Amino acid sequence: MSPAETATPTTAPRTGGGVRHLLGSELRLVFGRRRNVVLLLGLAAVPILLGVVIFITQDTVVGSQGPGFIGRVAGNGLFLVVAALFTCLPFLLPLTIGIVSGDAIAGEAATGTLRSLITVPVPRTRLLLVKAIVALCFAAAAVLTIAIVGLITGWVLFGISDLVLLSGDTITAGAGLFRVLGVAAYVAMSMSGLVMVGVLLSTLTETPVAAMAGTVTVAVVSAVLDSLPQLSAIHPGLLTHYWIDFAEFLRLEVDPAALAPGLLVQAAWVLLAGTIAWSRFTTADISS
Amino acid sequence: MTDTRTAASPAASPTPGGAAGSPRATPAPEEIADQAGAELAVRTKALTKRFRSGQVAVNGIDLQVPRGAVYGFLGPNGSGKTTTIRMLLGLIGPSSGQAWLLGRPMPAAGTDVLPRVGALIEGPAFHPWLSGRANLVRLDACDATAPPDRKGRIDEALERVGLGAAAHKKYRQYSLGMKQRLGLAAALLRPRELLVLDEPTNGLDPQGTREVRRLVGELAEAGTTVLVSSHLLAEIENVCTHVGIMSTGRLVLQGERTSLTSQSDRQLWVRTDAEHAAGAAQVLTTLGLTEVVTDGTELQALLGEISPADVTRALVTAGIPVLGLAERAPTLEDVFVRLTGEGFDVAR
Ligand SMILES: Nc1ncnc2c1ncn2[C@@H]1O[C@H](COP(=O)(O)OP(=O)(O)OP(=O)(O)O)[C@@H](O)[C@H]1O
Ligand SMILES: [Mg+2]
C-alpha cells in the first residue's frame, strides 16, 4: 500500500516551481501566524531583560561575577549576544522550535487541512520537504532574533568595543562582530537536528501538542543523558552534546576541525529523522 | 461485471464498450458496468479497506460513475462512504482492490488527475486564524498547476457559494453553514471535470441546502461529473441521475435513479371524504391493490401492475367522490429498506 505520489515524467519539470510556490505560501503562513510572532517576541525579550539586569547590577560585585559569558557583558555589548544565546540554549530555544516544528504536519492534520493539501494535490514528499525547510527557517529566525536584539541592546547599554577572546587576546570590534555572528550561525545550525525530530514526531500524531511536547522532551532528555558521566560512550551521538561548541568562535584561531563533530552529528540527526519522517508520511493513511 | 480491462490504458480502447453494448439500442442500467474505464469518471474494482482495528469499513465495492452523471453516494452513518472517498482521492491506501479517477489509476496518478478533481471530504477544514479568503489563497498557492488570475477565480468561487460578503471574516468566526460553503468554494477554485462532495449539505439551512442542490445541478449541466455523498436520502435524491447505496461496507445497489425506483413498488394515493373512505378501501382491495392503508380521508396502497386510470374509473363507478388521486414512485428509502430489510439510519 503506498498512497504516496509517484513521480511521473509529466510532473517532474514543474517540481522546482511547485516547491517555490509552496515555500512562499508556507513561509507566509508560519511567520504570519500570531502565535509564532509572539514566540519570537518572547525570545527577543531575553537579551533585553538580560541586558537590563546586568546594566542595573554592573557596579555591584554580583554583576561582574556572573557565570562565563554573562560576566563579560558589562565590559562589551557584543557579549550580550553570546550570553543571551547561552541562556536560551537549554530550554527556550528547544521550546520555540518544538512548538513550530511539532506543528508542521500534526497541526495540518488537526485542523483537517492536511487532507485538503493532499487533494489539491500537493505531493507528499514535496509537502514534507517544504514543511521541514520552513521549520528550519523558523529556527534560524529564532536564533537571529536573539542575536540581533542582543546586539542592539548590548550596543545601547554597554557599547561595543574590541573583543577580548577566551584566550585573553584582543581582536577589533569589527572582527569581534563576525565572531559573534559565527556563534549565532553555529547555534542556528545546532538546532537543525531537533527541528527534524520535531517534524518527524509531527508525522506520527494528529495532536500537535503531543509532537511539541515530545520534541522538547527529546532535547531535555538528551541534555540529561549528556550530563551523566556513566554514559560517556553515547555522548558524542547525542543531539545536544556539541551545542556548547559555539565557544570555538571565541578562541584566537577558529579551528574548523573543532566545529566539524557538531555539524556532523546534526547532519546525521537530520538525515535519520528526515528519512523516517519521509517513509512514514509518504505511506501513512490520512484519516484526520 | 465483465470488463476486465484496466483503465491504465484508456487510449487502447477507442470504442469503449462498443462491442458489448451495440446489440441493444438503449443500454440497460446494468450496462454501465460494461462500459470501458475511460467512459467512467470514477471506477473501482473490488475496493476494500480493512482498518488496523480489523474492521472492514469498505468491502469489495465496484463503483461505476459515468461521466456527466450526478451520482448520489448514499448510505447510513458508518456505512463506509467517507472511507471510500478517501481511498478514491489517495488519502488512504486500499487494503485490496483498485480505483480509477477519470480513467487514471489512483493513487499512482494522483498528481496528474487530482487538479481536475474538486473535493470536499468529511466537512470543511481550514485554518481558523485566517480569513475565508486567505484560506482559499493559501490553497490555490499550493496548487502547482493553478491557472492564472488567482484573485478573479477566488472571488468567483466565493460569489458562487454566496460568501462574497463574509470573505474577510476569520474562519473561526464562520457559522457552520458558512464553513461548509467555504469548503464548496475551495472545490470550485478552478474548473473541474469531477467533483467529489462528501456530505455537502451538512449544517446548511434549508435555503443553503436548496442552493447546494441548485449548484450541483448547474455544474452537472456544464458537464461536470458530481459524486455526492449523503446519509440523508431525501435530501439529494432529486438531483441525482445515478445512485449507489452503501450498507455496512457493501454497495447494495447501484444504477440510474429512475430505473431503481420506477418499477414494482409504485404507490397510489387517494383522497376522498370521510364518509366514503371505507368504501374506497373496499374498491381498491377488490381491484387487487395490496397493502391498502386508510388514514382519515386519505388512502395509500401498492399499485402493482394496475393502471391508475382503471382505479379512477372503478372508484367513480362505485360512486365514490375522488378529491385527489396520485401515483407515487417509491423513494430510494423504500427501495433500500426492501433490499436490506433495515431502517436507513442504522449504524454499525
Ligand atoms: N481511521 C479509522 N480507523 C478505524 N476505523 C475507522 C476509521 N475511519 C472510519 N472507520 C470506521 O469505518 C466505518 C465507516 O466509516 P465512514 O466514515 O466511511 O462512514 P460514512 O459512511 O462516511 O458515515 P457518515 O454518514 O457518518 O459520514 C465506521 O464504522 C468507522 O467507525
Ligand atoms: Mg462520512
Side-chain angles (χ1 to χ4, degrees):
Chain A
M1 164 192 83
S2 65
E5 79 292 346
T6 51
T8 55
T10 51
T11 63
R14 64 174 185 240
T15 302
V19 169
R20 237 175 297 122
H21 262 267
L22 194 59
L23 194 57
S25 159
E26 283 300 310
L27 284 172
R28 240 169 294 141
L29 192 74
V30 166
F31 284 93
R33 186 166 178 185
R34 194 172 356 164
R35 182 198 68 192
N36 296 348
V37 174
V38 168
L39 283 176
L40 291 181
L41 290 178
L43 286 178
V46 171
I48 297 176
L49 284 176
L50 198 61
V52 169
V53 169
I54 293 170
F55 186 75
I56 292 170
T57 60
Q58 66 177 329
D59 293 332
T60 70
V61 185
V62 189
S64 55
Q65 279 182 345
F69 316 101
I70 297 182
R72 295 161 167 261
V73 173
N76 188 344
L78 279 178
F79 264 108
L80 185 58
V81 176
V82 183
L85 285 172
F86 180 70
T87 309
C88 294
L89 204 47
F91 190 69
L92 281 181
L93 267 176
L95 181 69
T96 307
I97 284 166
I99 289 175
V100 173
S101 59
D103 203 36
I105 301 290
E108 301 277 2
T111 53
T113 41
L114 187 54
R115 59 176 187 259
S116 317
L117 288 176
I118 299 297
T119 53
V120 155
V122 182
R124 295 190 190 201
T125 303
R126 189 187 300 172
L127 182 60
L128 187 67
L129 182 70
V130 167
K131 286 285 184 187
I133 293 173
V134 171
L136 286 168
C137 286
F138 190 85
V143 172
L144 203 64
T145 304
I146 300 171
I148 290 174
V149 176
L151 196 61
I152 296 171
T153 312
W155 177 62
V156 170
L157 293 180
F158 310 106
I160 287 174
S161 49
D162 290 356
L163 191 70
V164 180
L165 298 171
L166 296 180
S167 55
D169 301 277
T170 305
I171 56 173
T172 63
L177 184 62
F178 272 105
R179 297 301 189 94
V180 166
L181 289 182
V183 169
Y186 183 86
V187 170
M189 246 286 316
S190 304
M191 295 297 125
S192 55
L194 188 62
V195 169
M196 221 50 200
V197 168
V199 172
L200 165 61
L201 293 181
S202 93
T203 63
L204 300 178
T205 172
E206 289 168 12
T207 318
V209 176
M212 295 173 189
T215 312
V216 179
T217 307
V218 166
V220 171
V221 167
S222 176
V224 169
L225 294 181
D226 203 22
S227 68
L228 298 176
Q230 295 89 333
L231 296 175
S232 57
I234 64 159
H235 284 178
L238 287 177
L239 195 55
T240 55
H241 184 64
Y242 295 103
W243 276 10
I244 201 70
D245 278 12
F246 66 80
E248 185 63 25
F249 283 94
L250 302 176
R251 299 187 198 290
L252 184 56
E253 292 288 331
V254 180
D255 180 7
L259 297 173
L263 303 189
L264 280 178
V265 167
Q266 292 305 317
W269 276 90
V270 168
L271 209 65
L272 180 72
T275 308
I276 301 174
W278 177 81
S279 65
R280 151 88 195 173
F281 185 59
T282 49
T283 55
D285 277 358
I286 293 173
S287 47
S288 58
Chain B
M1 77 184 246
T2 56
D3 183 6
T4 52
R5 277 166 297 181
T6 65
S9 55
S13 48
T15 53
S22 51
R24 245 172 291 171
T26 49
E30 56 269 22
E31 282 290 315
I32 298 165
D34 292 325
Q35 295 175 356
E39 288 273 296
L40 295 169
V42 179
R43 170 163 173 251
T44 72
K45 213 165 101 183
L47 194 67
T48 300
K49 181 65 184 182
R50 178 190 294 274
F51 281 111
R52 227 172 270 157
S53 60
Q55 183 178 358
V56 184
V58 175
N59 196 349
I61 69 169
D62 299 318
L63 275 187
Q64 315 259 345
V65 180
R67 284 194 192 243
V70 177
Y71 188 100
F73 193 38
L74 303 163
N77 290 134
S79 54
K81 304 181 296 292
T82 302
T83 305
T84 304
I85 287 173
R86 281 180 186 278
M87 284 192 280
L88 289 179
L89 296 170
L91 287 169
I92 64 180
S95 309
S96 62
Q98 291 142 289
W100 294 265
L101 283 189
L102 303 171
R104 304 290 312 277
M106 285 298 290
T111 316
D112 283 341
V113 81
L114 287 178
R116 295 184 275 149
V117 180
L120 169 65
I121 312 146
E122 203 155 56
F126 295 95
H127 290 298
W129 71 91
L130 293 180
S131 71
R133 191 165 203 291
N135 267 300
L136 293 188
V137 169
R138 195 240 171 177
L139 268 186
D140 199 66
C142 294
D143 189 346
T145 62
D149 188 22
R150 171 172 303 153
K151 189 182 176 309
R153 282 184 294 113
I154 289 177
D155 288 340
E156 193 191 321
L158 284 167
E159 284 307 325
R160 204 152 186 193
V161 298
L163 266 187
H168 292 281
K169 247 191 194 177
K170 290 251 187 300
Y171 180 71
R172 188 190 292 121
Q173 298 159 353
Y174 273 17
S175 72
L176 183 57
M178 290 159 84
K179 289 176 177 172
Q180 194 75 20
R181 286 162 192 252
L182 191 65
L184 281 169
L188 300 174
L189 274 181
R190 51 188 287 185
R192 311 282 192 181
E193 285 174 46
L194 170 67
L195 280 176
V196 179
L197 307 176
D198 189 15
E199 311 268 1
T201 54
N202 193 17
L204 291 181
D205 50 25
Q207 171 76 11
T209 306
R210 218 172 309 130
E211 277 171 35
V212 167
R213 263 192 247 127
R214 185 183 50 77
L215 195 62
V216 167
E218 266 177 35
L219 291 162
E221 216 156 284
T224 309
T225 309
V226 185
L227 172 66
V228 52
S229 96
S230 179
H231 63 278
L232 299 173
L233 277 178
E235 197 156 75
I236 55 169
E237 189 173 343
N238 294 329
V239 291
C240 300
T241 60
H242 292 70
V243 169
I245 298 186
M246 296 282 291
S247 173
T248 57
R250 291 189 170 280
L251 190 64
V252 292
L253 188 70
Q254 172 171 257
E256 275 180 55
R257 179 176 61 90
T258 47
S259 69
L260 291 176
T261 53
S262 65
Q263 300 134 0
S264 53
D265 282 352
R266 295 181 308 148
Q267 288 181 330
L268 186 77
W269 168 88
V270 180
R271 191 149 62 85
T272 176
D273 55 28
E275 210 177 313
H276 292 91
Q282 186 78 52
V283 172
L284 295 185
T285 314
T286 318
L287 266 177
L289 276 73
T290 51
E291 297 184 28
V292 181
V293 181
T294 313
D295 178 14
T297 59
E298 298 187 9
L299 294 99
Q300 289 208 7
L302 282 186
L303 205 44
E305 295 306 309
I306 300 155
S307 130
D310 293 342
V311 179
T312 316
R313 204 172 304 122
L315 286 170
V316 172
T317 311
I320 291 165
V322 179
L323 303 180
L325 186 144
E327 182 188 340
R328 190 172 74 86
T331 63
L332 281 172
E333 184 151 0
D334 298 332
V335 177
F336 177 83
V337 170
R338 197 188 63 222
L339 272 176
T340 65
E342 298 170 46
F344 192 74
D345 282 321
V346 283
R348 246 180 306 187

